[in-house]
Amino acid sequence: MELRPILSTLRRHKIATTLIVLEIAFSCAVVCNALFLIGQRLERIQRPTGLDESHLVELHVSGIGKDSDALAVTRDDLSALRAIPGVRAASIINQTVFGSNFGVSGISLRPDQDKPTATETRYLGGTQVIETLGLRVVSGRPFNANEFTDFQTNPTSTPESSSTPVILSQALAERLFPGQNAVGKTLYIDGTNPVVGVVDRLVQPRDNGRSAQYDYAVLMPSNLPYSRGTYLLRVADPAQRQAILKTALQTLRTHGPTRLVSSDDARTLEQARHSYYDDDRTMAWLLVTVCVVLLLVTAGGIVGLTSFWVQQRTRQIGIRRALGASKRQILNYFQTENLMLVSAGIALGMLLAYAINQLLMSKYELPRLPLMYLPVGAVLLWALGQVAVFWPARKAAAVPPAIATRSA
């Protein structure tokens, strides 16, 4: 296919050519960045927590007034919950992943530090907490039974003070002791805290600060009263989660003092995850919709412009057909012309995509646009252009030489 006639034709229609190239460039820039943002959202939604999510359910119980015997009631609650058929382990924890309660604190490597070395979230969990959460200890050991202290045994201090052992997430251990084994080291959170173990992964309940901090978590042994925590059950069969939740609610309603036990405060961890990422899914679908609308508008522009040019060039097409040009050659002419226009738009669009990404990075602290999204957007627009131009190009190829001659 000789390109000179195509270039000559495009030069005679500078305004239309410029407008369609700019439209394609804008579409390319927006689609590349939108695909990147969609990928970011999907990656975020699929982040693992380190927990055995498919087997976990949670229940929250609210007390009515002050319960001076809450710790004893909690122990009885846990015994009753562990006796439910299908429950493999049960524990109580101060905050849950994807929950609304969320606290962070500083962690230091020396007792006299002015500023903490890192910011972490602190989980306080009762007996069986590691087994219930399904955490995988990759270094050191789980908590010993004698390391769990009652939350109210010393009202003047919190249970995490005075040499309470801790287990770290692997990401936090690597942050505090890069290239070293954290087990046996000493940390300073509220008191002096020896590190006895490291788990493969444990994340913060909610996003806070930089994305890297999402994996910074500390686990401490503490027998919490029901008024300060949430019950967690690990079931043997995920298909039985709803049935076990119903049984657990009934067990708690008929056990202990009068309390608020509502099904609204009972859910599986997968339900909690689904609810937590509602906004991310909505944003991803919104971006998909924007991309689809934008691509449809661009395709409409290509169809409209090509149809207009076909109508304008009827006589030219007829002459070429009379001189022996085949239908395939006419079709190829318009497809090649479209390919050149789209390629110019893509080249400009890639520069624009980079500029938009720089703007988003400065305003919303987004990462740099990976280069892999640029060829993805280019291929998408090339394919769109060829599909959009096919119908008017085929119409041009169907122009018979005789009709073209009469139109002259």
Side-chain angles (χ1 to χ4, degrees), residues 31-290:
V31 167
C32 287
N33 278 282
L35 290 176
F36 171 53
L37 294 175
I38 292 170
Q40 288 271 304
R41 295 285 174 168
L42 295 180
E43 182 180 341
R44 175 180 148 84
I45 290 172
Q46 295 169 358
R47 289 180 301 181
T49 59
L51 312 186
D52 186 7
E53 294 183 33
S54 61
H55 292 80
L56 280 175
V57 300
E58 60 185 42
L59 309 92
H60 182 73
V61 177
S62 300
I64 299 177
K66 184 176 181 181
D67 186 352
S68 59
D69 203 22
L71 275 173
V73 173
T74 304
R75 281 193 290 270
D76 291 343
D77 283 346
L78 288 171
S79 295
L81 292 173
R82 288 165 185 156
I84 296 174
V87 174
R88 292 173 57 183
S91 187
I92 186 168
I93 199 164
N94 65 323
Q95 54 184 355
T96 58
V97 174
F98 308 127
S100 55
N101 294 328
F102 177 36
V104 294
S105 59
I107 186 168
S108 301
L109 299 179
R110 301 193 317 273
D112 56 349
Q113 276 187 227
D114 293 331
K115 294 183 178 179
T117 305
T119 300
E120 43 76 31
T121 192
R122 191 181 318 171
Y123 289 99
L124 305 179
T127 54
Q128 292 192 356
V129 64
I130 293 179
E131 180 183 356
T132 303
L133 293 173
L135 298 175
R136 190 166 68 91
V137 179
V138 294
S139 181
R141 60 170 175 81
F143 296 124
N144 294 324
N146 60 359
E147 291 173 332
F148 287 90
T149 57
D150 289 347
F151 187 80
Q152 295 178 332
T153 52
N154 183 5
T156 61
S157 66
T158 55
E160 59 270 28
S161 65
S162 64
S163 301
T164 298
V166 296
I167 290 178
L168 307 180
S169 64
Q170 196 164 32
L172 180 59
E174 183 62 28
R175 167 68 180 82
L176 297 173
F177 308 103
Q180 305 176 47
N181 187 354
V183 176
K185 307 286 187 184
T186 299
L187 302 176
Y188 301 89
I189 302 177
D190 284 333
T192 302
N193 306 105
V195 180
V196 299
V198 176
V199 294
D200 179 39
R201 189 178 179 91
L202 180 59
V203 301
Q204 298 183 356
R206 310 182 73 84
D207 287 275
N208 177 63
R210 294 178 301 167
S211 59
Q213 295 178 353
Y214 183 64
D215 294 320
Y216 293 173
V218 171
L219 181 61
M220 289 182 167
S222 177
N223 292 320
L224 296 165
Y226 69 85
S227 55
R228 290 180 174 269
T230 299
Y231 289 123
L232 289 174
L233 309 181
R234 188 179 181 191
V235 305
D237 182 3
Q240 298 299 314
R241 287 175 295 182
Q242 292 299 334
I244 289 176
L245 266 179
K246 186 176 179 181
T247 304
L249 286 170
Q250 187 61 30
T251 299
L252 293 175
R253 287 188 182 113
T254 58
H255 183 266
T258 301
R259 295 173 290 178
L260 297 178
V261 182
S262 170
S263 57
D264 294 337
D265 297 323
R267 60 182 180 176
T268 69
L269 203 63
E270 287 185 344
Q271 288 174 323
R273 169 185 278 274
H274 189 274
S275 175
Y276 182 72
Y277 288 116
D278 267 349
D279 291 343
D280 294 277
R281 276 190 299 277
T282 301
M283 179 57 71
W285 278 114
L286 179 62
L287 290 170
V288 169
T289 303
V290 169

